[in-house]
Amino acid sequence: MSRREEYEARTEELLRPIAEAGGVTIYDVEYVKEGGTYCLRVYIDKPEGVGILDCETVSRALSEQLDREDFIPDAYNLEVSSPGLGRTLKKDKHLQASLGREVEVRLYKPVEKCRDFSGTLEGFDTDSITILEGDVPRTFRRAEVALIRLAIDF
């Protein structure tokens, strides 16, 4: 397990009871370095949508736990937010919850001179993701997929 994965997993452990008490679910936790600064990002969700008070409550409680445990030696910023409408689908649990919904898929390399596809998420397994473009199924190897997210329909 990498240092990043360890920090994310330990943060998620600390976050579970806080999220439960706050009536939210954990969507994702990520520890990233951007522009020379480390950032610990926590995404929370709930059926009726996450508000600023939800983020504030979780942030304060988690910050206290992180200070108490002090397992991340680097200086970092803690961010707590909603995953948003166009949420990125990184994990199998995200894909499972999004079956039958419209998604956008971006590939690392073009296929038929195109890197961006959209359609209904039809299925996935450990190696592939299948969308339905109109009536045409398209299957991509997961290793080819740079990004998959929910489509925002205005």
Side-chain angles (χ1 to χ4, degrees):
M1 180 181 286
S2 72
R3 184 175 69 126
R4 177 189 57 79
E5 291 169 326
E6 178 188 333
Y7 295 166
E8 291 170 353
R10 288 192 63 192
T11 299
E12 195 162 336
E13 285 175 27
L14 294 175
L15 184 57
R16 275 190 202 103
I18 295 167
E20 188 175 308
V24 298
T25 58
I26 302 166
Y27 186 80
D28 200 10
V29 175
E30 62 182 14
Y31 183 74
V32 296
K33 187 173 185 179
E34 294 176 341
T37 303
Y38 286 101
C39 185
L40 180 61
R41 284 202 185 98
V42 172
Y43 298 97
I44 57 174
D45 203 7
K46 65 181 184 182
E48 63 274 16
V50 172
I52 189 74
L53 290 177
D54 297 312
C55 295
E56 180 183 358
T57 301
V58 169
S59 179
R60 287 177 192 261
L62 181 58
S63 182
E64 288 176 13
Q65 287 288 351
L66 289 166
D67 287 347
R68 198 171 299 124
E69 296 287 324
D70 199 27
F71 59 88
I72 302 175
D74 308 306
Y76 63 91
N77 294 321
L78 173 63
E79 295 177 5
V80 177
S81 69
S82 160
L85 294 176
R87 59 190 63 196
T88 302
L89 308 176
K90 293 181 183 178
K91 299 178 179 178
D92 284 354
K93 69 179 184 178
H94 303 153
L95 293 167
Q96 184 65 42
S98 301
L99 286 171
R101 297 186 65 188
E102 291 294 311
V103 296
E104 297 171 347
V105 177
R106 171 165 287 149
L107 304 178
Y108 288 110
K109 295 180 182 176
V111 171
E112 300 169 12
K113 298 184 181 180
C114 189
R115 287 181 42 183
D116 297 308
F117 299 86
S118 62
T120 304
L121 180 60
E122 287 294 306
F124 68 95
D125 59 30
T126 56
D127 299 318
S128 65
I129 293 174
T130 301
I131 64 170
L132 194 60
E133 279 186 313
D135 294 331
V136 179
R138 278 199 177 268
T139 300
F140 305 101
R141 288 185 312 117
R142 283 179 93 157
E144 298 173 322
V145 176
L147 173 75
I148 181 167
R149 66 177 169 216
L150 289 181
I152 300 174
D153 189 20
F154 290 100

